[in-house]
Amino acid sequence: MKATDYIVKYLISKNVSDVFGYPGGMVTHLMESLSQHQDEIKAHLCYNEQGAAFEACGYAQTSGNIGVAYATSGPGATNLITGICDAYFDSIPTLFITGQVNTFESKTGYQIRQRGFQETDIISMVSSVTKYAHYVSSVEDLVESLDKAYEIAMDGRKGPVLLDIPMNIQRGEIPDSLVMNHLCPDNCTVDSSTENTSVDFLLPYLMEAKRPVVLLGAGVKQAGITNLASEFIAKTGYPAVTSMTGFDILSDMPNNYGFIGAYGDRAANFVVAKADLVLTIGARLDIRQAGAVRENFAPTAKIIRVDIDDNELTYKIRDNEIDVNMDARVLLNKLSELDIPKVDSSWISVCDTIREKLSGLDDRLPNIIMRKLSESIPENTVIATDVGQNQVWVAQSFKLKKGQQVLFSGGHGAMGYSLPAAIGAHFGTNNPAVSINGDGGIQMNIQELEFIHREKLPVTVVVFNNSSLGMIRHFQEMYFNGNYAQTLTGSGYSNPHFDRIASAYDMKYICANSANDYDLSEVEVSIKERIPTLVEVVIDEYTYVSPKLRYGEPNQDQEPLLDRDLYKELMEL
């Protein structure tokens, strides 16, 4: 069997239905093989390899399967790197296949920069942001490394892998014996090393706690165990908070107090500050979550941290925290077997009082519009956010409905993620998708609008247009005396006419602004009728994310600062 035919058959055996990429000389054999199996697997042309990488991420985040993107050597491969980083930091299982020059054209053995045209050592570039990156040296090596790459991507803490395959290896023939031994639709080996580990040692801490809190991170979503987390919260009655990227885990459960961190809900940050036990599951507790001064986080609480990646547990909040290196699914199943008492109602009363006292305090126009937008988005729609103020407004104000999920570029924070991720998410679910952007981020991968047009995808693209790079403009206001260099119209930044952009890509155009009271009623119609649509929301350029934490301050003391009497009252509850 031809090597690239083998790759395609292998992906089909793993139930991969869609792959994303861009043509190039060093992947023509792979493209040809994909074209021969269009009834089983679809290869989608994107318009920049970065778009392909994010599309693979969106597919993986929603399907639960591995996402796949391919690119040619040199600039094609290097254009994938931003998406590879995104997959690495957000633990997204993805396989990246890069073409490479023929082995007989390689610079190996020569002290030169390049021998073959577009020859680039992509392995060295991505080795620190992949779980596995391998140069394939023979057809026999391809068979073994493809198996290995898939297993590594899907096992434990998931993430990206990359295979760099020379062109002559791609067109090589794989012996029948290897095909028979390896090409079979089995599942990857899953690490079950923690399944027999007892969690009984946690019970005394859970029994003694008077003010416990559960903090759920995006790892809970990635593991596909939001139902187990919800069941644990319901059983114990514990107050729950989330990371920003996990804000959709618990939806409208009554004891969900919001997401924590620098841009988090004030109530969530106060609840954590007053807890005597914080049980974190699948949350990294990085600076955005826990604050720059780590001892300020939950200062009076015993901290129990659960993570599948023991390396994450080396970045401690404090020395006496209890670290549990375990798959969250195993942990929650084992906790469900323990006789954990219901939380005391007096603690819930304190949490409810905090939420009531702070309710609506930080509502601004963009938050109100975001809430209206969420009301216009039907059930079972995937929402992908970009990076910037729009992302925080989604986490703060989006009201979720049944079957909806929200995708973020969390750790890498890549502008330009939302549009291609929404495309990939559609193929991962076959449901409509909504891409929410700022006017800056949408221009990073705006070329992917042609993908939507070409395949008539049910993707709605929303652009919050404040004619500025709002997050950085706010930063400049706080720290640089309002010197809005390169972030504001007239200071080196500008926008296209989005109505003309919609026309150019043959998309329906909706404009919501103050003149029509931000009427978004047409959005629901477009999504239900699966019409490709661009929605422009025109707002004032001086927009803010509120609340916002000043660097070094405790999470619960966000700006604009609370009245000091109210702050003291809440801290003394």
Side-chain angles (χ1 to χ4, degrees):
M1 183 183 291
K2 183 180 173 181
T4 50
D5 288 340
Y6 177 86
I7 293 171
V8 174
K9 287 282 190 181
Y10 186 89
L11 296 177
I12 292 170
S13 78
K14 299 303 183 185
N15 299 314
V16 176
S17 60
D18 298 85
V19 300
F20 308 90
Y22 195 86
M26 296 299 109
V27 286
T28 49
H29 285 281
L30 179 61
M31 293 160 54
E32 170 65 18
S33 294
L34 284 165
S35 74
Q36 300 302 317
H37 298 277
Q38 294 180 67
D39 291 340
E40 299 169 281
I41 188 169
K42 293 282 195 303
H44 302 281
L45 166 69
C46 63
Y47 290 90
N48 184 285
E49 292 87 356
Q50 185 183 117
F54 286 141
E55 283 148 13
C57 287
Y59 176 90
Q61 285 172 285
T62 53
S63 69
N65 201 353
I66 196 167
V68 181
Y70 61 88
T72 193
S73 61
T78 57
N79 279 348
L80 291 172
I81 293 177
T82 297
I84 292 171
C85 290
D86 184 77
Y88 184 71
F89 295 122
D90 284 356
S91 308
I92 304 171
T94 38
L95 168 63
F96 295 93
I97 299 173
T98 53
Q100 187 55 272
V101 300
N102 295 302
T103 54
F104 52 81
E105 293 179 301
S106 170
K107 69 173 184 175
T108 302
Y110 293 89
Q111 296 301 312
I112 55 177
R113 292 189 178 186
Q114 185 185 58
R115 186 182 178 196
F117 174 66
Q118 292 185 334
E119 180 183 10
T120 305
D121 180 7
I122 190 64
I123 299 298
S124 297
M125 294 182 186
V126 302
S127 59
S128 67
V129 288
T130 52
K131 292 184 71 180
Y132 175 66
H134 181 68
Y135 175 85
V136 177
S137 58
S138 66
V139 290
E140 292 79 10
D141 184 24
L142 172 63
V143 171
E144 292 182 7
S145 60
L146 190 55
D147 266 338
K148 185 175 181 180
Y150 180 83
E151 279 200 28
I152 290 173
M154 297 296 285
D155 189 32
R157 184 180 183 181
K158 299 176 182 180
V161 294
L162 183 143
L163 295 179
D164 191 37
I165 311 175
M167 191 175 187
N168 59 313
I169 304 300
Q170 292 180 48
R171 64 176 180 262
E173 294 291 328
I174 296 178
D176 289 344
S177 59
L178 284 179
V179 173
M180 294 298 293
N181 287 337
H182 288 267
L183 193 57
C184 55
D186 59 341
N187 293 318
C188 71
T189 302
V190 178
D191 180 13
S192 59
S193 59
T194 61
E195 288 185 2
N196 296 319
T197 304
S198 171
V199 297
D200 291 355
F201 70 96
L202 295 178
L203 187 57
Y205 299 105
L206 301 175
M207 296 283 285
E208 293 167 11
K210 303 299 182 187
R211 294 187 166 198
V213 173
V214 177
L215 166 57
L216 303 174
V220 172
K221 283 201 303 187
Q222 290 152 357
I225 54 172
T226 56
N227 59 325
L228 290 179
S230 297
E231 289 167 8
F232 176 74
I233 301 302
K235 175 185 174 182
T236 61
Y238 282 6
V241 297
T242 70
S243 65
M244 186 176 79
T245 54
F247 91 98
D248 55 337
I249 293 172
L250 298 174
S251 189
D252 58 353
M253 288 187 73
N255 47 343
N256 173 16
Y257 292 89
F259 73 95
I260 65 162
Y263 296 103
D265 296 306
R266 290 184 193 264
N269 284 328
F270 267 99
V271 167
V272 171
K274 298 183 67 59
D276 66 1
L277 174 74
V278 178
L279 170 62
T280 77
I281 304 174
R284 294 187 297 116
L285 294 183
D286 63 356
I287 289 176
R288 285 289 181 94
Q289 293 176 11
V293 182
R294 294 178 77 73
E295 55 265 31
N296 284 342
F297 180 78
T300 60
K302 171 65 72 175
I303 295 177
I304 302 172
R305 297 179 62 186
V306 181
D307 205 293
I308 198 170
D309 184 352
D310 59 352
N311 292 315
E312 289 293 345
L313 300 174
T314 63
Y315 184 35
K316 295 184 178 297
I317 294 292
R318 37 186 168 273
D319 292 338
N320 67 346
E321 69 188 29
I322 299 167
D323 297 333
V324 184
N325 178 212
M326 183 177 285
D327 186 309
R329 181 186 299 276
V330 176
L331 174 99
L332 286 169
N333 280 326
K334 288 182 176 293
L335 286 180
S336 69
E337 299 169 0
L338 299 181
D339 188 17
I340 302 170
K342 272 269 191 181
V343 70
D344 193 289
S345 61
S346 63
W347 172 224
I348 296 298
S349 178
V350 168
C351 296
D352 287 344
T353 299
I354 291 171
R355 179 162 57 189
E356 289 163 11
K357 293 274 187 180
L358 298 173
S359 178
L361 192 66
D362 296 295
D363 254 9
R364 294 176 180 270
L365 178 62
N367 299 92
I368 295 167
I369 298 170
M370 189 64 73
R371 203 169 293 122
K372 290 179 68 172
L373 176 64
S374 67
E375 292 168 358
S376 301
I377 298 177
E379 296 179 352
N380 301 313
T381 304
V382 183
I383 297 94
T385 74
D386 211 70
V387 172
Q389 290 180 331
N390 70 91
Q391 179 186 52
V392 183
W393 293 332
V394 169
Q396 289 177 334
S397 303
F398 199 96
K399 299 303 178 186
L400 290 159
K401 295 176 183 172
K402 181 181 177 182
Q404 291 181 343
Q405 56 183 312
V406 183
L407 310 183
F408 291 89
S409 174
H412 198 45
M415 294 174 71
Y417 159 87
S418 172
L419 175 55
I423 292 171
H426 161 66
F427 288 107
T429 61
N430 199 33
N431 290 333
V434 174
S435 164
I436 299 177
N437 310 264
D439 51 277
I442 187 61
Q443 296 183 75
M444 291 282 187
N445 276 310
I446 200 168
Q447 75 284 339
E448 299 307 304
L449 292 175
E450 181 59 24
F451 189 153
I452 295 172
H453 168 242
R454 184 190 72 230
E455 301 199 18
K456 296 180 174 55
L457 304 181
V459 177
T460 299
V461 181
V462 181
V463 180
F464 277 75
N465 183 7
N466 59 3
S467 299
S468 67
L469 301 177
M471 188 74 84
I472 306 305
R473 187 211 59 77
H474 187 189
F475 193 87
Q476 290 170 324
E477 181 178 311
M478 290 179 67
Y479 298 105
F480 296 98
N481 299 315
N483 178 21
Y484 303 129
Q486 301 175 36
T487 61
L488 203 62
T489 300
S491 68
Y493 175 79
S494 64
N495 274 337
H497 296 279
F498 287 106
D499 56 338
R500 299 180 191 175
I501 294 291
S503 177
Y505 290 103
D506 198 24
M507 298 177 72
K508 178 179 177 180
Y509 173 74
I510 297 171
C511 182
N513 54 38
S514 56
N516 58 28
D517 194 28
Y518 296 100
D519 181 10
L520 293 161
S521 57
E522 284 187 74
V523 173
E524 183 172 9
V525 175
S526 288
I527 295 173
K528 286 183 174 178
E529 294 183 357
R530 301 173 76 93
I531 300 170
T533 303
L534 192 152
V535 182
E536 182 179 10
V537 180
V538 182
I539 49 180
D540 185 88
E541 57 198 12
Y542 290 96
T543 55
Y544 298 87
V545 166
S546 176
K548 174 183 172 68
L549 187 67
R550 185 175 285 271
Y551 189 84
E553 296 301 317
N555 275 4
Q556 73 274 13
D557 205 11
Q558 296 161 288
E559 295 187 350
L561 296 176
L562 290 181
D563 174 83
R564 292 296 88 182
D565 289 338
L566 176 58
Y567 181 86
K568 182 179 179 182
E569 176 190 345
L570 296 178
M571 289 302 291
E572 290 177 352
L573 284 173

